[in-house]
Amino acid sequence: MSKFWVDSFSEISIKRIVDVFELIPDILFWVKDTDSRVVYANNLFVELSQFSTRAQIYGKTDMELFAPHLAKQYLLDDKRVLNGELVTSRLEMNITKEGELAWFSTSKRPLLNESNEIIGTYGITRHFQKSSQALDTFEPIRAPLDYIRKNYQSQISLNDLADVAHLSVSALERRFKKYLSKTPKKLINEIRLENARLLVMESDTPISAIAYQTGFSDHSYFTKQFKQLFGMHPSHMRGKN
């Protein structure tokens, strides 16, 4: 444990807090220091990382624990929270321990000492489909999200999503910005790319066929977007598997 935490907290007390979250099977919980290094986490957090025990993840940042495109968002959040901002019930797409795409609701807060100085961050993530509270929170965008999930292989227009949500296009875009901090177009692209990544890693399907199967009509555009999100060409990612 770092001197930072020895000076600020009782290790036993922190451990007891973490262990409470083992009683709630659909919640990830973690505590980080000001350098975004994991200090404590529950077992579900460990299961979603590339490691198997808590001891292996302590002292590591998200870049060492998760896929780069996910870690970048987590680290960006950490910077915001360390500056005093709050992340509340934000909907995120991630991979479950079974390797399936799923929605999660994430909240993050700055960790304060007795002098109200920010000395780290902590957060929780809940599986969206398994949490009735999360489902209620995101009810205003559930219909378009379900539509995207079921139809991402096809062409989806903003008018399609607006019709499903019974909203105007401008109102739809405002809701996506409020609940997801991204546009409908960006979300559709990310869902397609996440599904494409799974096919690249887990099948021998030709890359050009994967692009078509996940909704990309232009192979070169698909490759460009894939590299932008994941940091490498799809064929190189397959080669690393």
Side-chain angles (χ1 to χ4, degrees):
M1 178 181 293
S2 67
K3 183 177 184 298
F4 169 87
W5 286 98
V6 172
D7 291 343
S8 303
F9 293 99
S10 161
E11 180 175 357
I12 295 176
S13 296
I14 292 292
K15 183 179 184 302
R16 286 175 178 170
I17 293 173
V18 174
D19 286 343
V20 167
F21 285 91
E22 301 299 347
L23 303 176
I24 312 174
D26 65 329
I27 285 188
L28 287 78
F29 172 76
W30 64 91
V31 180
K32 298 179 185 177
D33 64 18
T34 52
D35 293 319
S36 294
R37 296 173 300 197
V38 176
V39 178
Y40 280 103
N42 68 346
N43 286 330
L44 187 55
F45 182 96
V46 176
E47 289 176 6
L48 287 182
S49 74
Q50 302 174 28
F51 298 89
S52 55
T53 68
R54 291 182 185 177
Q56 290 175 315
I57 71 170
Y58 291 162
K60 291 182 170 61
T61 69
D62 291 311
M63 291 300 293
E64 300 169 279
L65 300 173
F66 302 106
H69 67 289
L70 298 174
K72 288 177 183 177
Q73 179 61 56
Y74 302 156
L75 293 173
L76 180 61
D77 282 346
D78 289 347
K79 291 181 180 180
R80 292 172 51 200
V81 174
L82 288 169
N83 286 326
E85 296 184 42
L86 305 180
V87 175
T88 302
S89 298
R90 188 183 64 206
L91 192 61
E92 298 177 327
M93 184 173 56
N94 206 330
I95 307 296
T96 68
K97 60 184 178 181
E98 293 81 18
E100 299 175 347
L101 286 172
W103 293 104
F104 291 82
S105 172
T106 296
S107 297
K108 302 177 183 181
R109 295 288 185 272
L111 191 61
L112 308 176
N113 63 14
E114 293 182 355
S115 301
N116 283 327
E117 300 169 323
I118 297 177
I119 55 174
T121 65
Y122 66 96
I124 63 170
T125 291
R126 302 195 70 173
H127 196 305
F128 179 52
Q129 283 92 342
K130 294 182 179 180
S131 169
S132 59
Q133 181 180 357
L135 287 171
D136 290 341
T137 300
F138 295 106
E139 182 63 33
I141 55 172
R142 189 196 300 195
L145 288 178
D146 285 343
Y147 186 89
I148 294 171
R149 179 175 57 83
K150 295 175 182 177
N151 298 281
Y152 70 87
Q153 302 98 327
S154 305
Q155 294 303 309
I156 301 174
S157 70
L158 289 181
N159 286 329
D160 292 333
L161 295 180
D163 289 343
V164 168
H166 305 293
L167 296 169
S168 67
V169 170
S170 59
L172 175 78
E173 291 179 319
R174 286 195 297 270
R175 284 197 183 180
F176 268 67
K177 182 67 175 178
K178 176 181 179 181
Y179 290 101
L180 302 177
S181 299
K182 62 186 65 177
T183 65
K185 182 178 179 180
K186 183 176 182 181
L187 179 68
I188 294 168
N189 213 44
E190 289 180 356
I191 290 176
R192 287 172 172 164
L193 290 168
E194 283 286 3
N195 280 279
R197 184 177 69 86
L198 290 178
L199 289 172
V200 167
M201 297 291 289
E202 299 176 4
S203 77
D204 295 323
T205 304
I207 301 299
S208 58
I210 288 176
Y212 180 77
Q213 290 175 15
T214 52
F216 292 93
S217 57
D218 185 328
H219 181 257
S220 61
Y221 177 76
F222 163 73
T223 300
K224 179 181 178 181
Q225 292 297 302
F226 194 99
K227 290 174 64 177
Q228 183 174 319
L229 185 60
F230 302 120
M232 66 178 67
H233 192 284
S235 61
H236 294 164
M237 179 173 286
R238 173 170 283 171
K240 290 183 64 176
N241 193 17

